[in-house]
Amino acid sequence: MQQRGEDLLEAARKELRDSRPLGAAHHERASRVLPRGTTRARFWEPMPIYVKKAQGAYLTDVDGRDYCDFNLGQGALVLGHAHPAVVAALEAQLERGTHFGPPTHNRIQLAELIVESVPGADRVAFVNSGTEATMGALRIARKATGRSKVGKVEGGWHGANEFVLHSFTTLSGDAARPDANLDSLGVSSVATKNVIVLPFNDERAFDRIREARDELACVIVEPVLGGGGCLPAEPSFLEGLRAVCSEIGAVLILDEVITGYRLGPRGAAGRYGVTGDLTTLGKAAGGGLPIGVICGRGDLMDETMWPASGAPGDAVFAGGTFSGNPMTMAAGVATVGELVHHAEHYRHLEELGEGLRVGLRRALCEVGAPAFVTGVGSMVGVHFCGTMPSNERDLVTTDHVAAQLLRVYLELDGFISRGLSFLSTAHTGEDVHRLVAAYERALRRLQTEGALGA
Amino acid sequence: MVFHEVTSERTEGSVAVSERRANELMDSVRAELRRTRPLTAAAHDRTVTRRAIGGTRSRFWPVPIYVERAQGAYLYDIDGFRYIDCNMGHGPLILGHRPPAVVEALAGQIREGTHYGPPSSKECALAELIVGGVPGAEMLAFTNSGGESTMAAVRLARAATGRDGVAKCEGGLHGNYEPLLFNVFTIAGGADRPELVADCAGLPVGVADDIVMLPFNDDRAFDLVRERGSELACVIVEPLQGSAGTFPASSSFLAGLRAACDEVGALLVFDEVISGFRLAPGSAALNLEVRPDLVTMGKAIGGGMPVGAVIGSREHVMLTDSPPGGGFCEQVFVGGTFSGNPMTAAAGHAQLSQLVENPRLYDQLSAMGERMRRGLRRVLSELGIPGFVTGVGSIWGGPYFMDREPTSMRDLLDSNQAAGTLVSACLLELGVLMTGPPHLNFLSTAHTDEDVDQVVDAHREVMKRLQSEGCLP
């Protein structure tokens, strides 16, 4: 079966190369200076397409082929590509300059939009990426509590921050007390000693947290596991985390890098009715330009980031040349302003998401494919695993070869959809129907090739 | 941002001035700036209310201004005042604000989408230009910031050596990666063996155990590297320390670090976030005998858009890639949603193309930098103020008001930082923008000799005023 999978992948790679000669040539050239042709090759095995331009819900590659895009820059583009309001805002900022040392007015505007919309956000600090946002949030929590350890759930993704980069896909140990397994080489053992891994959607996490009450600075959690497979937290799980963090005096960090401004104008926090002490944002908040945001309780952030004492060691450092840069701020203000002030966008996104989930379930059922559909709002996951997954452990039986082949077959058919699909306001019901039909074709092909287990 | 020292002893012979007097004057300058710039004052009050901060960078500005627009060498605040920009976005804008090639590239890219999931066709061309500028390099991986690039470099070194130790220099600012946030702004212990001090609150327990602190531009660093050699994955050093006060590393210091690294089997990392494409069309190593194993860059390579990169041999950079089908634990994780995004790639490529195709621009930049340094030194000497100006090429630091010439941040402890802060604030009134101490300043090809002379003249006027107010000798 494994050999069969590899043969099919090789055939798919050849098909990609043959049908996209310019892309293949570019891949070869790019592979000389970038690891396997791009900084993020692992997402796009066996060979990435190379995008030339994008508009609305569509990408065009260097071979001139169009794709309906359900990846949207890993979820960042809630308004789709090159939305007129974002284009206008960026063009206006470009007239004024792209980057300055001192701040700009639009930084204040984006901060105020965030304060207005994100539950519990009194203060806002901008950084360059979701990774930098979680790094800063952890430091605030450690400084505020005087404790060092971080609780994170299995399957939780919080960027390249090594003090949480554990047990994302590498799972082991008792389900109630998972081991902390690093998800990167080149990280000091110091990091692992500071991580406590919690089971997701499992109330035994609360006891684990209580046990660690003297050393736990914070718990960081995505309300919907994103990279971990589009698995929503049970409301009771988030509520339980909120309660137990308050009980032991740990900081609850909601990592809404993916869900912020995607699941609603107030993010997942608004949807679940759970408020973090700190919230991290990224992706959508920057309107398609690099961004990370740390926001949260005023007392917490004031005391840690801007303490009365002037000594550098007393303050949480979260600097960076481009933090709060005016281009990102301009795109962010345009995007967040549009989303927060037009509730109809989210009604549209909900309909599309629900339509896609229902359509995919029907397609899977008709084909008889052993797969499950997860997700909420405009986030949709498809999993080739044995049971309807509710946490990362349910996904260990995932057939990754089938999933990868499916993604490539969709690409060959003109659709970009990784295991986790995103929708934008630029998508239509028709786009969703076409994606469902494409999934059905791809699934049937997998079936014919004997690549679908069971 | 001011320097701190942990010990309370202050070297005798520091410039004798009244810090109290300087602080009083600072209050009145601040009040005057608020009075003349009401929109700026209102914006600042709104910022303070919300703490709407881009990281913590606001600390660089003794008095905040808010930028409305910029063009070439000039920046205009929201009250309509014009400034000669000596900061250039903390360095990236080497061709000035809005160089036509960059504007054109970005204008096109904005309409073709700012960000994709699959790679853009532009990432490769920027990578080629950068790799081509680093002697011995073959590949790179992009990140979103200089800080993320040093994080990537340390991880690559740790993975390549199987060791956890990292040595860095006092005053070295390498972004906001936890293991590197020690002794950035703070001096402690003796130069023969600096004491570790965290310059960021909230670092995890145990991080310090991996760190070896070295004095900068001081041969005693080599023994410290050897002493813990078997634990060391890498030594990271800026060929030009920026945030510490604009001090070039001496070639003997870099050669000594190279030799010590080779001896103990550690990698030598050049953090060139500031110096990359700023001093030469590529790495500072182009002008040096010493070759690093890894180089980090940021700032200039993004043409004014957020960027970072780690550059090195194929063998090292390929560690970021897991074998096909391999898991996360078989690779050095580098990356992020926006890494290699097309806006950065377009702007960076437009900027670097100009620099690579016209290497004489660096001669022009260096000549202007020299004119600035000479001019400022002349002012100090004319006015009889003991002080120094540092820097190289288009970068300068100071004026540092002190008695003996500084070669590292340690020396700057003796400088009169209150007066330095005041200089930056008073210069605003005269239409010159530069950060407070340690005054890391940048020129661009958009600046002219006239701009340089105006900046020098403004310094003269400000220092005279400070003298007459009793804040400078």
Side-chain angles (χ1 to χ4, degrees):
Chain A
M1 189 61 217
Q2 196 185 341
Q3 187 54 47
R4 173 85 184 127
E6 278 168 26
D7 290 348
L8 288 171
L9 275 174
E10 191 46 46
R13 183 203 306 262
K14 187 170 180 322
E15 204 175 331
L16 267 176
R17 281 209 179 123
D18 291 348
S19 57
R20 288 149 178 82
L22 297 176
H26 190 87
H27 182 239
E28 202 166 300
R29 173 182 157 191
S31 296
R32 286 198 279 272
V33 286
L34 293 159
R36 283 198 292 136
T38 177
T39 299
R40 287 174 286 120
R42 76 182 66 81
F43 289 162
W44 308 102
E45 300 281 2
M47 178 189 107
I49 63 157
Y50 287 91
V51 181
K52 200 166 177 227
K53 58 181 184 179
Q55 181 63 55
Y58 289 85
L59 295 175
T60 306
D61 73 8
V62 290
D63 285 283
R65 287 176 182 269
D66 293 332
Y67 302 82
C68 194
D69 182 12
F70 293 87
N71 176 258
L72 296 163
Q74 321 295 349
L77 302 162
V78 179
L79 295 175
H81 295 281
H83 185 277
V86 176
V87 168
L90 284 171
E91 285 180 341
Q93 186 59 52
L94 184 58
E95 282 295 306
R96 298 192 189 113
T98 62
H99 171 57
F100 319 119
T104 49
H105 208 255
N106 56 11
R107 183 185 302 178
I108 306 173
Q109 287 176 298
L110 185 55
E112 289 181 346
L113 278 169
I114 289 168
V115 168
E116 181 191 316
S117 55
V118 175
D122 306 319
R123 301 283 186 273
V124 182
F126 293 107
V127 288
N128 297 304
S129 64
T131 294
E132 291 188 346
T134 65
M135 288 166 79
L138 259 52
R139 289 184 209 145
I140 291 171
R142 291 195 201 94
K143 167 70 174 171
T145 59
R147 308 173 193 164
S148 185
K149 292 194 180 176
V150 175
K152 63 94 61 187
V153 302
E154 269 189 326
W157 179 256
H158 308 284
N161 174 0
E162 67 203 37
F163 297 96
V164 268
L165 186 52
H166 287 72
S167 305
F168 169 59
T169 57
T170 319
L171 314 182
S172 69
D174 180 354
R177 310 174 60 86
D179 297 336
N181 298 316
L182 252 172
D183 280 311
S184 172
L185 295 174
V187 174
S188 166
S189 57
V190 169
T192 305
K193 287 176 193 154
N194 280 288
V195 176
I196 292 176
V197 176
L198 307 167
F200 183 64
N201 275 343
D202 184 334
E203 60 187 33
R204 289 174 296 184
F206 311 147
D207 287 336
R208 186 83 184 87
I209 292 169
R210 282 192 192 95
E211 260 174 57
R213 62 192 315 146
D214 296 330
E215 43 185 13
L216 201 63
C218 62
V219 172
I220 183 166
V221 64
E222 295 166 285
V224 180
L225 297 192
C230 201
L231 305 177
E234 300 289 343
S236 62
F237 183 68
L238 275 192
E239 287 156 13
L241 286 181
R242 173 66 281 177
V244 71
C245 282
S246 299
E247 178 190 321
I248 69 158
V251 173
L252 177 64
I253 304 169
L254 292 186
D255 186 344
E256 296 226 42
V257 169
I258 292 177
T259 51
Y261 301 112
R262 176 160 280 291
L263 292 188
R266 295 159 65 72
R271 202 171 174 119
Y272 278 90
V274 170
T275 302
D277 299 300
L278 295 173
T279 301
T280 50
L281 301 171
K283 301 198 194 257
L289 272 79
I291 194 169
V293 180
I294 309 160
C295 56
R297 266 169 47 199
D299 59 331
L300 202 56
M301 289 183 68
D302 284 344
E303 286 163 16
T304 54
M305 296 194 79
W306 304 282
S309 145
D314 285 341
V316 168
F317 180 85
T321 300
F322 296 100
S323 298
N325 76 81
M327 290 289 273
T328 296
M329 297 297 109
V333 168
T335 299
V336 173
E338 178 71 27
L339 288 168
V340 167
H341 297 135
H342 297 90
E344 66 272 19
H345 286 317
Y346 290 101
R347 284 197 291 277
H348 179 57
L349 289 168
E350 291 293 316
E351 278 172 25
L352 291 177
E354 204 44 40
L356 183 54
R357 279 184 290 276
V358 168
L360 287 175
R361 284 189 186 117
R362 201 181 49 234
L364 288 165
C365 187
E366 275 172 23
V367 177
F372 294 88
V373 179
T374 61
V376 56
S378 57
M379 300 167 65
V380 182
V382 175
H383 300 282
F384 291 90
C385 61
T387 55
M388 179 70 183
S390 76
N391 64 45
E392 209 60 21
R393 296 225 168 192
D394 295 336
L395 293 176
V396 292
T397 58
T398 296
D399 183 346
H400 292 289
V401 173
Q404 196 180 109
L405 282 168
L406 178 75
R407 202 209 80 234
V408 176
Y409 292 170
L410 288 169
E411 245 166 66
L412 287 165
D413 204 5
F415 296 85
I416 306 290
S417 169
R418 298 182 68 242
L420 170 55
S421 294
F422 295 102
L423 294 151
S424 76
T425 58
H427 285 86
T428 62
E430 183 53 30
D431 291 326
V432 167
H433 289 143
R434 289 178 51 240
L435 179 65
V436 170
Y439 259 91
E440 203 169 320
R441 285 191 294 274
L443 287 164
R444 288 202 191 279
R445 177 171 171 185
L446 284 169
Q447 204 170 40
T448 309
E449 293 172 339
L452 282 186
Chain B
M1 193 66 71
V2 287
F3 298 120
H4 286 255
E5 92 187 297
V6 167
T7 57
S8 56
E9 285 172 46
R10 196 169 164 90
T11 316
E12 289 308 313
S14 62
V15 180
V17 288
S18 160
E19 285 203 355
R20 188 181 53 81
R21 181 70 199 108
N23 288 332
E24 281 168 12
L25 187 56
M26 186 69 201
D27 286 343
S28 81
V29 172
R30 195 176 276 126
E32 180 61 12
L33 284 165
R34 273 186 80 91
R35 193 184 65 74
T36 52
R37 289 158 176 76
L39 297 176
T40 299
H44 182 59
D45 293 345
R46 259 172 90 188
T47 296
V48 169
T49 309
R50 285 306 180 203
R51 301 288 197 191
I53 308 291
T56 42
R57 286 190 304 132
S58 310
R59 292 173 191 190
F60 285 108
W61 306 106
V63 181
I65 67 157
Y66 287 79
V67 184
E68 175 65 24
R69 67 189 174 91
Q71 179 64 49
Y74 306 116
L75 194 140
Y76 301 82
D77 73 14
I78 55 177
D79 285 290
F81 288 92
R82 192 194 85 163
Y83 305 88
I84 299 174
D85 189 355
C86 300
N87 173 252
M88 302 316 291
H90 300 288
L93 305 169
I94 193 162
L95 298 175
H97 292 281
R98 305 189 68 250
V102 173
V103 169
E104 192 186 328
L106 284 173
Q109 193 60 53
I110 287 168
R111 293 187 162 261
E112 294 184 345
T114 62
H115 167 57
Y116 319 126
S120 90
S121 57
K122 300 213 164 85
E123 185 184 10
C124 167
L126 176 59
E128 287 171 346
L129 278 179
I130 297 168
V131 167
V134 180
E138 295 168 300
M139 280 193 144
L140 65 74
F142 282 115
T143 65
N144 296 306
S145 66
E148 287 188 353
S149 71
T150 60
M151 174 163 80
V154 168
R155 281 193 196 149
L156 290 178
R158 283 173 164 171
T161 60
R163 305 171 182 172
D164 283 346
V166 174
K168 77 172 284 283
C169 295
E170 285 184 308
L173 172 60
H174 305 289
N176 68 38
Y177 181 44
E178 286 85 356
L180 301 175
L181 280 168
F182 291 87
N183 302 56
V184 178
F185 310 112
T186 309
I187 294 290
D192 56 329
R193 191 176 292 276
E195 281 170 28
L196 274 186
V197 184
D199 271 325
C200 172
L203 299 184
V205 167
V207 172
D209 300 345
D210 289 330
I211 309 305
V212 176
M213 191 56 57
L214 310 175
F216 183 70
N217 268 347
D218 186 323
D219 291 356
R220 287 173 288 187
F222 313 145
D223 282 339
L224 293 173
V225 170
R226 289 192 185 94
E227 199 175 289
R228 286 181 62 185
S230 63
E231 304 162 38
L232 281 186
C234 66
V235 175
I236 183 167
V237 63
E238 294 167 282
L240 175 86
Q241 276 201 339
S243 145
T246 319
F247 299 112
S250 70
S251 44
S252 64
F253 182 65
L254 293 176
L257 289 180
R258 176 74 275 179
C261 281
D262 289 343
E263 209 174 300
V264 305
L267 303 192
L268 180 62
V269 181
F270 276 7
D271 182 348
E272 299 216 43
V273 170
I274 289 175
S275 59
F277 286 90
R278 181 34 91 175
L279 301 178
S283 164
L286 288 170
N287 300 331
L288 299 166
E289 306 252 308
V290 178
R291 294 284 177 266
D293 298 295
L294 291 170
V295 168
T296 57
M297 288 194 189
K299 298 198 194 261
I301 61 170
M305 300 299 292
V307 73
V310 58
I311 308 135
S313 68
R314 164 172 282 269
E315 183 195 355
H316 284 143
V317 178
M318 281 303 284
L319 289 170
T320 63
D321 191 51
S322 52
F328 273 74
C329 52
E330 296 170 65
Q331 40 129 31
V332 171
F333 186 84
V334 175
T337 298
F338 296 101
S339 300
N341 77 80
M343 288 287 278
T344 297
H349 185 263
Q351 174 152 297
L352 295 198
S353 298
Q354 303 258 312
L355 295 168
V356 168
E357 285 160 20
N358 306 291
R360 303 192 69 161
L361 289 174
Y362 289 97
D363 300 332
Q364 180 194 327
L365 285 164
S366 291
M368 269 193 301
E370 206 42 47
R371 187 183 183 95
M372 182 73 79
R373 283 184 290 272
R374 267 204 320 269
L376 294 173
R377 283 172 189 142
R378 199 172 50 238
V379 169
L380 286 164
S381 118
E382 274 169 26
L383 300 178
I385 298 170
F388 294 88
V389 177
T390 62
V392 59
S394 55
I395 311 182
W396 81 98
Y400 305 118
F401 302 112
M402 57 199 296
D403 291 322
R404 69 189 166 92
E405 181 159 17
T407 63
S408 72
M409 186 173 92
R410 197 166 263 275
D411 298 334
L412 285 187
L413 285 174
D414 295 334
S415 71
N416 181 349
Q417 297 184 56
T421 305
L422 203 44
V423 167
S424 294
C426 294
L427 282 173
L428 285 178
E429 292 183 312
L430 300 180
V432 174
L433 177 77
M434 75 181 210
T435 49
H439 314 290
L440 172 55
N441 306 308
F442 299 92
L443 287 167
S444 72
T445 57
H447 288 80
T448 62
D449 283 349
E450 288 70 42
D451 293 323
V452 170
D453 294 345
Q454 279 184 38
V455 171
V456 171
D457 290 343
H459 273 79
R460 180 184 292 107
E461 200 173 317
V462 166
M463 285 190 235
K464 269 187 187 165
R465 176 178 173 195
L466 265 55
Q467 261 182 331
S468 71
E469 301 268 4
C471 302
L472 279 176

